[in-house]
């Protein structure tokens, strides 16, 4: 494909993700230079008519008809969670590249089949884990790479609120649940940070997955996942809940020479140079004041605040996808990495079934 050609996009599903993320992102000027929405499909006729009027695209009553459109080069899969594997596989078999919404799949067998079809069809397959391009994540990644925080002991990612939900994402029959819907993003962040640190993916998993009375469906709405590589490295602690009324920072990272904390709007970190501390030796002698040893740590501090930029991370996913399709560049969100996430979720469900 010539690199100056706009890539024709077909959007499967015009709900919150298909309309609010994919259609909106492709309309951003920088993205619109590389992509155009050619066709859409959705079970709700009014949504298709809205897209036709706003985007000037074709509409199809079925996914099969959309996939037969020769001007569709790639497909954004934004259907129900449970349908992601089948729709992504159908698109690749029809010769389309695929950007699939999270979760990749609802079990490991489905994820493996998606990768098999990717290899068979030689199509690009990636996933909309937009955090990989968000400025807060990139800042955290930069701080970890700098080594300022020393050996990393803990990576904690938290997200929560106190709310009742009763939409389709609370139903197991649709692939719903807090783990699939939101922990998928945060576990992806953890796996990416572990990769940054060179930590292996031979992971030990602890899970506490629950459905609380706040959930009006039958899926999970409280998820606690702890991960640690068998080859060493930090413990990762991921907590997503619809049943928390206590505020916590989204990021907490602890290291042997410093730490980082904050959220998508601002981050703070502090660290010290070990050579700035005097040498000490443990002593069995009582302390002079019957208390504890004390010293002043010469902390250095840093901070980041989100500026006026409006980037969401979705643009970065699309730019990376463009390069992958037109030049064969590697995708940032590799199916193999996301497969590790699905394997973790399978183990979580085995340990803590809901």
């Amino acid at each position: 494909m010539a690199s100056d050609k706009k890539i024709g996009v077909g959007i499967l599903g015009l709900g919150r993700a298909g309309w609010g993320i994919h259609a909106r992102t492709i309309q951003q000027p920088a993205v619109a230079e590389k992509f155009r929405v050619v066709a859409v499909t959705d079970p709700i006729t009014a949504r298709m008519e809205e897209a036709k009027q706003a985007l000037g695209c074709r509409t199809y009553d079925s996914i099969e008809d959309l996939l037969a459109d020769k001007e569709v080069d790639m497909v954004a899969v934004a259907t129900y969670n449970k349908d992601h594997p089948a729709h992504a596989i159908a698109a690749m078999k029809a010769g389309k590249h695929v950007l699939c919404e999270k979760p990749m799949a609802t079990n490991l067998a489905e994820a493996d089949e998606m990768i098999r079809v990717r290899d068979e069809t030689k199509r690009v397959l990636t996933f909309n884990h937009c955090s990989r391009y968000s400025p807060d994540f990139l800042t955290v990644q930069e701080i970890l790479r700098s080594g300022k925080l020393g050996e990393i002991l803990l990576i904690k990612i938290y997200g929560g609120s106190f709310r009742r939900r009763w939409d389709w994402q609370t139903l197991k029959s649709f692939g719903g649940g807090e783990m699939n819907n939101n922990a998928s993003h945060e576990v992806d962040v953890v796996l990416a940070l572990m990769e940054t640190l060179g930590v292996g993916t031979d992971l030990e998993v602890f899970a506490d997955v629950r459905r609380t009375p706040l959930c009006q469906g039958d899926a999970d709405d409280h998820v606690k996942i702890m991960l640690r590589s068998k080859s060493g490295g930090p413990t990762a602690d991921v907590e997503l809940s619809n049943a928390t009324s206590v505020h916590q920072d989204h990021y907490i990272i602890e290291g042997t020479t410093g730490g980082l904390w904050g959220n998508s709007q601002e981050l703070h970190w502090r660290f010290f140079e070990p050579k700035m501390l005097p040498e000490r030796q443990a002593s069995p002698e009582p302390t002079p004041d019957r208390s504890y040893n004390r010293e002043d740590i010469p902390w250095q501090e840093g901070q980041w605040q989100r500026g006026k930029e409006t980037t969401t991370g979705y643009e970065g996913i699309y730019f990376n996808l463009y390069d992958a399709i037109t030049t064969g560049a590697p995708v940032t969100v590799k199916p193999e990495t996301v497969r590790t996430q699905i394997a973790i979720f399978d183990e979580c469900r085995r340990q803590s079934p809901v």
Side-chain angles (χ1 to χ4, degrees), residues 120-174:
E120 176 186 273
T121 61
K122 309 301 182 186
R123 299 294 86 189
V124 174
L125 172 65
T126 191
F127 300 88
N128 193 23
H129 285 298
C130 57
S131 296
R132 301 290 194 95
Y133 288 95
S134 63
D136 50 295
F137 168 78
L138 293 174
T139 302
V140 172
Q141 194 174 47
E142 179 184 348
I143 295 299
L144 291 189
R145 283 179 176 149
S146 74
K148 292 177 180 177
L149 306 186
E151 178 188 352
I152 302 302
L153 307 174
L154 174 70
I155 298 173
K156 182 170 183 179
I157 308 292
Y158 168 83
S161 60
F162 199 92
R163 60 176 176 171
R164 294 197 301 167
R165 287 186 67 176
W166 53 92
D167 54 276
W168 69 263
Q169 289 191 333
T170 67
L171 299 172
K172 290 194 285 187
S173 59
F174 285 82

Side-chain angles (χ1 to χ4, degrees), residues 294-305:
R294 296 183 181 88
E295 63 182 348
D296 292 325
I297 303 294
W299 291 112
Q300 300 180 57
E301 298 189 353
Q303 66 175 353
W304 165 88
Q305 286 190 319

Side-chain angles (χ1 to χ4, degrees), residues 102-338:
K102 50 78 184 170
M104 175 185 191
T106 58
N107 60 65
L108 192 57
E110 293 174 342
D112 285 339
E113 180 64 8
M114 295 169 80
I115 293 173
R116 187 194 70 77
V117 173
R118 187 264 328 251
D119 293 341
E120 176 186 273
T121 61
K122 309 301 182 186
R123 299 294 86 189
V124 174
L125 172 65
T126 191
F127 300 88
N128 193 23
H129 285 298
C130 57
S131 296
R132 301 290 194 95
Y133 288 95
S134 63
D136 50 295
F137 168 78
L138 293 174
T139 302
V140 172
Q141 194 174 47
E142 179 184 348
I143 295 299
L144 291 189
R145 283 179 176 149
S146 74
K148 292 177 180 177
L149 306 186
E151 178 188 352
I152 302 302
L153 307 174
L154 174 70
I155 298 173
K156 182 170 183 179
I157 308 292
Y158 168 83
S161 60
F162 199 92
R163 60 176 176 171
R164 294 197 301 167
R165 287 186 67 176
W166 53 92
D167 54 276
W168 69 263
Q169 289 191 333
T170 67
L171 299 172
K172 290 194 285 187
S173 59
F174 285 82
E178 191 69 10
M179 186 155 56
N180 281 340
N181 293 327
N182 293 314
S184 53
H185 276 312
E186 309 311 347
V187 170
D188 180 73
V189 165
V190 162
L191 292 176
L193 293 178
M194 284 184 160
E195 183 178 356
T196 298
L197 295 170
V199 176
T201 56
D202 52 337
L203 298 170
E204 296 177 306
V205 179
F206 166 81
D208 178 12
V209 182
R210 307 188 189 200
R211 174 189 170 275
T212 76
L214 292 169
C215 178
Q216 306 305 294
D218 60 354
D220 57 271
D221 66 336
H222 176 87
V223 179
K224 179 81 163 182
I225 302 173
M226 300 191 74
L227 306 170
R228 191 167 190 271
S229 172
K230 295 176 183 176
S231 56
T235 297
D237 180 345
V238 177
E239 184 175 331
L240 279 296
S241 180
N242 286 326
T244 178
S245 56
V246 179
H247 171 75
Q248 297 182 47
D249 284 315
H250 179 66
Y251 297 101
I252 296 177
I253 297 179
E254 298 174 0
T256 55
T257 59
L260 176 148
W261 64 98
N263 52 51
S264 63
Q265 301 303 307
E266 62 179 271
L267 297 166
H268 302 267
W269 58 92
R270 63 178 185 169
F271 63 96
F272 68 89
E273 296 287 348
K275 63 184 179 182
M276 299 300 292
L277 297 181
E279 290 188 12
R280 304 286 189 186
Q281 290 186 341
S283 170
E285 297 299 321
T287 55
D289 61 355
R290 297 185 177 90
S291 184
Y292 301 98
N293 296 321
R294 296 183 181 88
E295 63 182 348
D296 292 325
I297 303 294
W299 291 112
Q300 300 180 57
E301 298 189 353
Q303 66 175 353
W304 165 88
Q305 286 190 319
R306 183 182 286 269
K308 295 182 179 179
E309 68 272 13
T310 58
T311 179
T312 58
Y314 302 125
E315 299 94 338
I317 291 288
Y318 268 91
F319 294 148
N320 174 240
L321 179 59
Y322 184 84
D323 291 341
I325 292 173
T326 60
T327 71
V331 293
T332 299
V333 184
K334 299 176 178 63
E336 289 78 7
T337 301
V338 188

